[in-house]
Amino acid sequence: MSENVVQLHKPAPLPDENEPVTTLTVVPDAPPAPPVPLWVRSGHAIKTAVTHDRTRAAVRAAARHGLYTVNGGRIVARRTWDGRTGARYERMLRAAEAAGNLEAAEEWEERLQRFRAARHHRRMDLLHSPVEAVKGVAVGAGMSIGVLVALGVVMALNTKHVGDVITPLSATVDFIALLIRIVRIVWGPALTVGPLLALLALWSVGRKQQAAPQWALPANARSGEGEPITPSIVVKALRDLGVPALRNAIKEMGDAGASMLGPITIAGCGVEVDVTLPSGVSTVEVQGRRRKLAENLTRHEHEVFITIPQAARTVRLWIADSGALDEPIGPSPLVTDETLTADYAKGRAPWGQDLRGDAAALSLYQRHLLITGLSNQGKTVALRSLALWLALDRSVQFLMGDLKGVGDWAMFDGLATTLIQGPTDEHVIQVTEMVEGAVDEMNRRIQAPPGTVFPPLIVLVDEAQVAFMCPAKDEDKRPYGGAKANSRYFMAVRKIHNQGRAVNVLMWQGTQDPTNENLPKLVREGAHTRASLALGTESQARMALGDKAVDGGAAPNLLRPGLDRGTLVVASDGITIPAGQSSLTVRTHYIDDEAAVAITDRAKALRDGVTTLHAVERGEERDPLADIADAIGDVERPLTADILKRLSLLNADAYGSWTFADLKRVLEADGVEPYKSHGRMVVRRDAVHAALADRADDDSASVS
């Protein structure tokens, strides 16, 4: 409450008196604020009440239970109508016609005709049923009265009282009167309770079917997490996919849209179902809406896989149990079974599990291998697990290059013939020469007598993109990296891809983040087994697996980086892939470094002992042109074939594998052109000596 303010002022003294006079001045309060209108306060209160959680929950509950009853009545009415008419058969007939299944349409039409004939027969029977009913009642009543009278006669003869003849009849009449009195007593409450029980039954039907809008359902029912997959859920998910032709076709089918579905079968940690799409709907339209389909099925995108089986106009859906793919799989048999051995020719490497929970085993026999993916997704571990299994076959030899150089392959020291580890250009040069040495071994095997059996030689290069991107060049200006005809690493890999399989010389490569520059097309297409972990784009997926696999549903670009670490998509004839699919998704076993060391120790125990080289041994530096001049000697125009023979005798290690192309390359680099004489290739001696002299003059000029 406001108070008046009292102020004291001291005026000037009066002329006749020096004593001051005190004056009181009253200052009034400010005018009070106008009162808030009642309608404003009422509106605020109503808004608060409407937006309150309890109010909203009460509104949802009232709407939910009311709609349960209403829609339950619709469901019961629909079921009754279907049971009394041929509506169900007509819907199935339309569904079969929409799906283009004429045989099924004819079958449903035949069933509809049989139903109509049976219904007509029942209706004709109803025309005669009243007469038959009256006759039946009359006969039944007469027989009953006769039995009661006969029973009364027996009682009268027994008791010697004539009145006992009607005792059974009177007892029956009294019983009927009792029933009538009971009905009169119950009839009134039944008229009141009966409709309530009927409404309760309709509410129960609607509640069981969740017949209410999503906004009115309880929170746990709206989330749908872990909801089991049923035909109605799949049909609704397809209907709401946003494909007009599919939606219209399902609408014409009614509830019989489930006729598109094959049997829903349990497949590992999920279910699998084939969907035959109606005419006018492409499988590509469904594949392109994977995320929306997953959300319609109350799943995450990574929990739904869409593949194309052999049947025309059909998609195969694999739907994981909610959260199942986030659970780890068990350990590798290589870790749990210490007696396990490998067989390169007939065995299969235990790699992991497919999405159905079945063991995924890969045959490595005469198959080049390529594994790619983004960084830190488990590529090295997946590649290493295959090498660990194959190491348990004592006949297998390894040449290894690890261009990361952090020790991921260190346990193969003492097991691999060559093990080069490091990311520098010098390491790339060493790895390139290692692969070129494998090419020489391949050529030696090819020249062996037919039928010769050679031990498997695995040439493994991890982080191969480092080699392809290496800018270093050799003394002949030939680049080690790149993808040109004179790129040393690229050409060595291509040669092994072209001819190595036949003599058990195999190329295994692991790369990351593939592009056309760090993984050339000819190299990636030369691999028989192609696998990819998580990638960033569909174009990268096509580089990794090929167009056929991606068009068939392979989608490593939809794997979740970090969360799906170790999960890869495989395209290979070395692994069992379901009929009609072009790829298989595998969750690989994780083998840590400690377990890998234990496995390689077992592999070393199977061998007599392997001395591992950590660098490629180079012979003495030679001058090819000077050696060619020595091989020519005093012959003025020697044959190129003779020069090659003499070079081989001069130094078999350096020139034993030379061909005419190698000789021509060295000569042309110094300006000497071989030419034909009398139909045979020859070299002019003076031209070779002149080239040597010119090179010496150039060297002296550069020094001065």
Side-chain angles (χ1 to χ4, degrees):
M1 185 175 181
S2 302
E3 296 181 355
N4 292 333
V5 179
V6 179
Q7 296 181 351
L8 300 179
H9 297 273
K10 188 176 289 186
L14 297 175
D16 58 349
E17 189 175 351
N18 294 327
E19 291 295 327
V21 178
T22 302
T23 304
L24 299 178
T25 303
V26 178
V27 180
D29 288 340
V36 179
L38 179 62
W39 64 270
V40 175
R41 287 179 288 171
S42 301
H44 178 72
I46 293 173
K47 181 179 179 181
T48 303
V50 169
T51 57
H52 196 276
D53 291 341
R54 293 182 180 177
T55 304
R56 297 171 68 180
V59 171
R60 282 200 302 266
R64 178 170 66 252
H65 294 293
L67 290 171
Y68 279 168
T69 304
V70 174
N71 292 329
R74 293 176 61 249
I75 293 172
V76 171
R78 182 65 176 270
R79 291 175 179 175
T80 303
W81 177 259
D82 286 346
R84 302 288 296 176
T85 67
R88 177 184 293 108
Y89 299 96
E90 292 176 357
R91 285 201 306 273
M92 298 300 289
L93 176 60
R94 290 197 302 271
E97 290 176 346
N101 193 341
L102 298 181
E103 294 182 0
E106 293 176 359
E107 181 180 353
W108 283 112
E109 185 176 10
E110 183 180 351
R111 291 185 181 183
L112 177 60
Q113 294 300 330
R114 289 200 300 267
F115 171 80
R116 288 174 175 172
R119 183 179 61 184
H120 176 73
H121 182 71
R122 290 194 301 271
R123 289 176 177 176
M124 295 302 296
D125 289 342
L126 288 176
L127 297 177
H128 306 285
S129 59
V131 177
E132 298 295 332
V134 171
K135 289 182 180 180
V137 170
V139 172
M143 293 180 63
S144 300
I145 293 174
V147 171
L148 294 174
V149 171
L151 182 60
V153 171
V154 173
M155 292 178 62
L157 293 176
N158 185 45
T159 60
K160 308 298 184 182
H161 291 88
V162 178
D164 289 341
V165 174
I166 62 172
T167 298
L169 287 173
S170 61
T172 303
V173 172
D174 292 340
F175 178 72
I176 294 173
L178 176 62
L179 292 178
I180 293 173
R181 285 196 296 273
I182 293 174
V183 170
R184 286 180 177 178
I185 295 172
V186 176
W187 184 253
L191 290 178
T192 303
V193 177
L196 297 178
L197 293 177
L199 291 175
L200 180 61
L202 296 178
W203 174 86
S204 178
V205 172
R207 178 177 177 273
K208 185 176 181 180
Q209 297 293 326
Q210 295 288 309
Q214 285 291 319
W215 61 266
L217 295 176
N220 58 349
R222 289 197 303 271
S223 66
E225 289 293 334
E227 185 177 6
I229 300 300
T230 62
S232 61
I233 289 177
V234 177
V235 170
K236 290 178 182 177
L238 293 170
R239 182 193 63 194
D240 300 335
L241 200 55
V243 181
L246 181 59
R247 182 180 63 250
N248 295 335
I250 294 176
K251 187 181 299 183
E252 292 179 2
M253 299 176 193
D255 289 343
S259 62
M260 299 187 303
L261 309 183
I264 297 179
T265 58
I266 296 177
C269 57
V271 297
E272 189 174 72
V273 59
D274 284 356
V275 181
T276 302
L277 301 175
S279 178
V281 181
S282 169
T283 56
V284 177
E285 293 180 282
V286 177
Q287 279 186 301
R289 291 171 171 81
R290 178 187 175 192
R291 174 176 294 181
K292 189 171 185 179
L293 178 61
E295 292 172 349
N296 291 347
L297 293 167
T298 65
R299 295 294 191 273
H300 297 290
E301 183 179 11
H302 72 277
E303 294 176 329
V304 174
F305 287 82
I306 306 173
T307 55
I308 309 299
Q310 289 180 331
R313 216 171 63 236
T314 302
V315 293
R316 178 169 295 162
L317 307 181
W318 185 86
I319 307 161
D321 298 335
S322 184
L325 293 183
D326 297 327
E327 298 294 330
I329 64 174
S332 170
L334 293 173
V335 177
T336 58
D337 186 2
E338 295 185 356
T339 63
L340 186 67
T341 59
D343 186 340
Y344 162 75
K346 300 179 181 178
R348 289 176 177 261
W351 212 7
Q353 295 179 359
D354 62 15
L355 296 178
R356 296 165 181 80
D358 299 329
L362 179 67
S363 173
L364 304 174
Y365 178 66
Q366 293 188 345
R367 290 180 176 87
H368 302 302
L369 176 66
L370 172 65
I371 299 180
T372 187
L374 298 178
S375 177
N376 196 30
Q377 298 305 309
K379 166 182 56 63
T380 296
V381 173
L383 181 60
R384 189 176 67 182
S385 65
L386 297 177
L388 288 171
W389 176 80
L390 198 55
L392 296 176
D393 183 340
R394 61 179 301 171
S395 66
V396 178
Q397 303 171 3
F398 291 98
L399 300 176
M400 291 186 169
D402 175 15
L403 293 177
K404 184 189 296 182
V406 296
D408 290 335
W409 298 88
M411 66 286 301
F412 281 86
D413 194 354
L415 190 60
T417 305
T418 302
L419 176 59
I420 300 169
Q421 302 178 89
T424 66
D425 289 349
E426 178 59 29
H427 291 102
V428 172
I429 294 172
Q430 291 282 336
V431 167
T432 302
E433 293 177 349
M434 177 190 77
V435 178
E436 290 175 338
V439 173
D440 294 338
E441 172 63 16
M442 176 189 72
N443 292 331
R444 185 189 67 81
R445 294 183 177 190
I446 291 174
Q447 295 171 5
T452 305
V453 178
F454 299 100
L457 175 61
I458 307 300
V459 185
L460 189 152
V461 180
D462 195 12
E463 305 297 341
Q465 77 280 353
V466 177
F468 286 113
M469 300 300 292
C470 178
K473 296 182 179 180
D474 62 12
E475 63 277 2
D476 294 329
K477 306 301 181 182
R478 297 177 59 199
Y480 287 93
K484 297 181 179 179
N486 62 343
S487 299
R488 292 182 59 176
Y489 180 80
F490 170 76
M491 291 305 299
V493 172
R494 287 292 300 138
K495 290 176 182 178
I496 294 178
H497 279 174
N498 290 338
Q499 296 179 299
R501 183 190 65 82
V503 290
N504 286 332
V505 177
L506 303 178
M507 192 74 209
W508 290 10
Q509 294 183 99
T511 69
Q512 64 175 257
D513 202 9
T515 64
N516 285 322
E517 288 73 26
N518 64 24
L519 187 59
K521 180 179 180 181
L522 292 177
V523 169
R524 59 181 185 251
E525 291 185 351
H528 303 99
T529 296
R530 300 165 72 173
S532 175
L533 295 105
L535 289 173
T537 63
E538 181 180 328
S539 62
Q540 287 185 316
R542 293 184 180 275
M543 291 181 191
L545 300 177
D547 291 337
K548 180 180 180 181
V550 174
D551 292 338
N557 53 300
L558 297 182
L559 295 174
R560 301 167 299 167
L563 297 177
D564 290 326
R565 186 179 288 112
T567 299
L568 46 75
V569 183
V570 187
S572 171
D573 61 351
I575 196 168
T576 302
I577 298 178
Q581 295 182 204
S582 57
S583 63
L584 186 70
T585 302
V586 177
R587 304 172 68 195
T588 59
H589 295 295
Y590 176 73
I591 302 177
D592 59 23
D593 291 347
E594 183 179 352
V597 170
I599 296 170
T600 52
D601 288 343
R602 286 157 41 197
K604 293 172 186 176
L606 298 175
R607 291 166 170 80
D608 296 332
V610 177
T611 301
T612 299
L613 300 178
H614 297 282
V616 176
E617 294 183 350
R618 296 188 177 97
E620 59 177 324
E621 294 294 334
R622 304 193 65 87
D623 184 349
L625 188 62
D627 289 341
I628 292 173
D630 291 341
I632 291 176
D634 296 330
V635 181
E636 183 178 353
R637 290 187 301 173
L639 298 175
T640 55
D642 293 338
I643 295 175
L644 288 174
K645 292 178 182 179
R646 292 171 185 173
L647 285 172
S648 180
L649 293 174
L650 180 64
N651 192 311
D653 293 335
Y655 306 116
S657 60
W658 265 37
T659 64
F660 172 74
D662 297 315
L663 178 62
K664 182 180 179 183
R665 173 178 55 81
V666 172
L667 292 173
E668 289 179 347
D670 286 289
V672 180
E673 294 286 343
Y675 64 96
K676 274 190 176 182
S677 176
H678 303 288
R680 303 185 70 178
M681 297 299 296
V682 298
V683 176
R684 185 178 288 108
R685 180 193 60 187
D686 295 340
V688 174
H689 287 288
L692 282 172
D694 291 342
R695 192 170 64 180
D697 293 340
D698 293 340
D699 292 341
S700 61
S702 61
V703 170
S704 61

